[in-house]
Each structure stands twice: as structure tokens, then as C-alpha cells.
Amino acid sequence: MTTDAFLADCRARLAFDLLSHTWNAVVLWALRDGPRRPVELRERIGGISSKVLTETLRRLQFNGLVDRRADPDAPSRVEYRLTALGRTLLAPIDAVGAWAFEHGDEVVAAQEAACAPDPQSPRPPC
């Protein structure tokens, strides 16, 4: 991999796209302990609508990260589980979460500083 791989390699861009979508990493993390039904996922995650959860699960399934299984005895009973490929993203998600835990206060401080009124700036604060 060259030093410019993140700029030129569409595979690297694919990985960043998968992790940058707001709900992808959250849903993958919520599935880390085993299969879940959509209702269970919504309760576990919180703050996600049924529509957005469905869209996210479909996107993750399309990318081979999540598997959808319908119960043959109760077709309306569906559950989702991580695929082997989906499990490979848990370590990077955990690493990003650890980074956020360690540096989150610094990011918030930078955001607050950027939004603070500056009497010498013609731009209004955030």
C-alpha cells in the first residue's frame, strides 16, 4: 500500500464510507453479542427510527456485513446477525470508540472554541 492509498485506493474509501455512515457502526456494534430482532435492536440502540434501522440493515446486508434470517415457522419473525466479514469490523469500531473516549473532550473543546464569539471576526459564532 502506498502512502497515498487512502486518496487513490477505492477500497480504502469503501472502508471509510462503511464506518462513516452514522448508523452502520452502531448497528454492527449492537449485533456483536449475537442475533437480534429489529425491535430488540431499536431498544438496544435508542434514538433510531424503524425506517432508518431498516435502511441501515439493508445497506449492511448489501455489503455482506449482516445476514438476515426469517423463521420458517413464523415468516414475520426476522433476525439479523453479523457475518464473518461483519465481525472483522468490530476491532476497528472498538478502536475508533476508544479514540473518542480518550479525545472526545478535546474535540468538544475545539468545537466550543470555534463557536465562541470573536470580536475581531466578521463571521457570527455558530
Side-chain angles (χ1 to χ4, degrees):
M1 181 157 65
T2 69
T3 56
D4 286 335
F6 294 128
L7 301 176
D9 184 356
C10 60
R11 289 185 186 151
R13 291 180 188 177
L14 170 69
F16 289 126
D17 182 57
L18 286 172
L19 289 177
S20 68
H21 189 281
T22 303
W23 293 107
N24 284 358
V26 175
V27 171
L28 290 170
W29 193 254
L31 288 168
R32 76 188 181 285
D33 294 327
R36 299 268 186 242
R37 296 182 64 212
V39 170
E40 296 170 323
L41 283 170
R42 281 192 63 219
E43 290 172 0
R44 189 165 199 188
I45 293 168
I48 187 170
S49 69
S50 294
K51 178 182 181 236
V52 171
L53 177 60
T54 299
E55 291 169 353
T56 303
L57 288 166
R58 286 180 182 158
R59 183 175 43 256
L60 293 172
Q61 185 180 5
F62 173 79
N63 285 290
L65 304 174
V66 167
D67 186 36
R68 179 185 186 273
R69 299 229 175 133
D71 185 339
D73 297 328
S76 62
R77 183 179 170 98
V78 174
E79 66 180 21
Y80 293 86
R81 65 185 71 221
L82 291 176
T83 63
L85 181 60
R87 289 206 161 279
T88 66
L89 274 175
L90 293 178
I93 291 168
D94 189 43
V96 171
W99 179 89
F101 185 79
E102 184 175 339
H103 299 286
D105 290 341
E106 296 169 69
V107 173
V108 170
Q111 291 171 348
E112 289 172 352
C115 290
D118 181 2
Q120 297 176 358
S121 174
R123 288 180 39 193
C126 298

